[in-house]
Amino acid sequence: MKQRDIAERVVITGMGAVTPLGLSVQESWEGMVAGRSGISTITLFDASDLPIRIAGELKGFDVTEYLDIKEARRMARSSHLALAAGIQAMADAGLGDQVPNPERAGVVMGTGIGGFDAGLEGWDTYKAKGLRRVNPFTAMALLCNMPAHHLSLRYQCQAYNSTVVTACASGTQAIGEATEAIRRGAADLMLAGGVEGMIHPVLVGAFIVMRVLAADNDSPEKAIKPFDARRDGFVCSEGSAVMVLERLDHALERGARIYAEVLGYAANTDAYHVAIPDPEGAGAVRCMRWALEDAGVEPAEIDYINAHGPGTEVGDPAETRAIKTLFGEHAYRVPISSTKSMVGHALGGAGAIEGMACVKTIETGIIHPTINYEVPDPECDLDYVPNVARKAGVRTTLSNSFGLGGQNACLVLRCYQE
């Protein structure tokens, strides 16, 4: 492990999440360990005329548990979900309604689409009822930086603030960039994570015509089959996870509970294709290698890999090849699992949710399964922890996010040691 000064060490002291498996970290984690699917028939809009009618929706989410209804109407759903996860994270970290030092606290959030749904809603209103009936907050609500803004406003985080928009890598990259902000001295504390809140006919329909979605309308819970020979695509999902990151000495000074340490981070691009990952996984190899180098750990020290694992025909074998290229024989010994097999693909929120799963794996010594793995694929021949959770001593994890546009981001987390 790379020896860093205490002022450069970054730890995780709080987490919050809303996912298709539950409206908290604990509910979501319990669902993952149980191997439960959060995929169901779409209810957020009438999907009866679409050939694919399933998604990973939040069940029972009520924004008024977190926000006044008047305030909520001024925001897109992505901001609702990010605020819910952020409020949970702040409470979990033992912080109050404001960060200890506003000028030393910041926010980095990742999202792929942001509040685009609010823009579409404004357009529909304009066409049906005229300009005067359009919500005057539409222009603000649709911006991708609004989740980060609303978190910074609520908790008066006045330091470094940014929004990462790198498709499926956004949530992972946001946590990494927040870590870098603390390391370089721009903040003592950061709220960081990812969010997506758009189960919408435009998005689902666009992915349908791309032919990248799993198509099992009759058995939604069995639709996503990462690394399985029968896999036929991912499932659109929504959700958010937010972490409180702190400089180690700052966390120790206030007596914070420490979940894990962020050891390493890297982000890059395949520079290969707008939608198809490099089949040989060259960009993924570089990103994983650089993250391990930043952490100062060898491949053999990784105890668990949370795969990108979307269940696509090209993506899963490409990731498998990349892992084998970098890890060599250790690739066959390290357990790997796909969170998306249960929660679907939350795009900009996916990496943050998967980072949360890595933290819980370190904390509990339990690796959640990859569900719906029944027919092995010769191209995907590693240990994907099929169908049933596994107890294991996990100290160091690698979380992979490989997204559209060839955007890649990886995080290395480890159990905290003095």
Side-chain angles (χ1 to χ4, degrees), residues 7 101 233 290 340 342:
N101 184 348
W290 294 342
K340 292 182 183 73
M342 293 173 282

Side-chain angles (χ1 to χ4, degrees), residues 14-18 23-25 66 83-93 155:
M15 296 194 297
V18 286
L23 301 182
S24 67
V25 168
Y66 300 94
L83 276 166
I87 290 167
Q88 292 178 23
M90 285 288 287
D92 187 50
Y155 293 110

Side-chain angles (χ1 to χ4, degrees), residues 242-256:
V242 173
M243 297 181 180
V244 176
L245 307 179
E246 295 186 60
R247 201 179 68 232
L248 176 57
D249 56 345
H250 185 272
L252 294 175
E253 284 172 8
R254 72 177 189 87

Side-chain angles (χ1 to χ4, degrees), residues 332-415:
Y332 291 92
R333 295 188 291 269
V334 62
I336 302 163
S337 62
S338 169
T339 306
K340 292 182 183 73
S341 67
M342 293 173 282
V343 302
H345 195 342
L347 301 178
I353 293 168
E354 291 156 9
M356 176 271 288
C358 285
V359 173
K360 294 301 291 184
T361 298
I362 291 169
E363 180 189 24
T364 64
I366 299 174
I367 297 172
H368 76 63
T370 301
I371 67 169
N372 300 323
Y373 184 87
E374 297 174 4
V375 182
D377 181 344
E379 289 192 279
C380 300
D381 58 350
L382 301 178
D383 176 8
Y384 305 110
V385 191
N387 303 313
V388 179
R390 181 184 304 172
K391 291 184 178 180
V394 174
R395 296 178 66 247
T396 310
T397 69
L398 172 67
S399 186
N400 290 338
S401 295
F402 305 139
L404 294 167
Q407 302 280 171
N408 305 313
C410 296
L411 280 176
V412 179
L413 307 180
R414 178 174 277 186
C415 62

Side-chain angles (χ1 to χ4, degrees), residues 218-233:
D218 296 329
S219 301
E221 70 283 355
K222 297 181 180 179
I224 314 173
K225 300 174 278 290
F227 305 107
D228 187 285
R230 303 163 301 149
R231 66 187 182 278
D232 61 345

Side-chain angles (χ1 to χ4, degrees), residues 33-57:
V33 172
R36 189 169 71 245
S37 174
I39 309 305
S40 57
T41 301
I42 291 171
T43 64
L44 290 172
F45 67 89
D46 181 2
S48 59
D49 61 343
L50 293 179
I52 295 175
R53 300 179 293 278
I54 58 175
E57 297 181 345

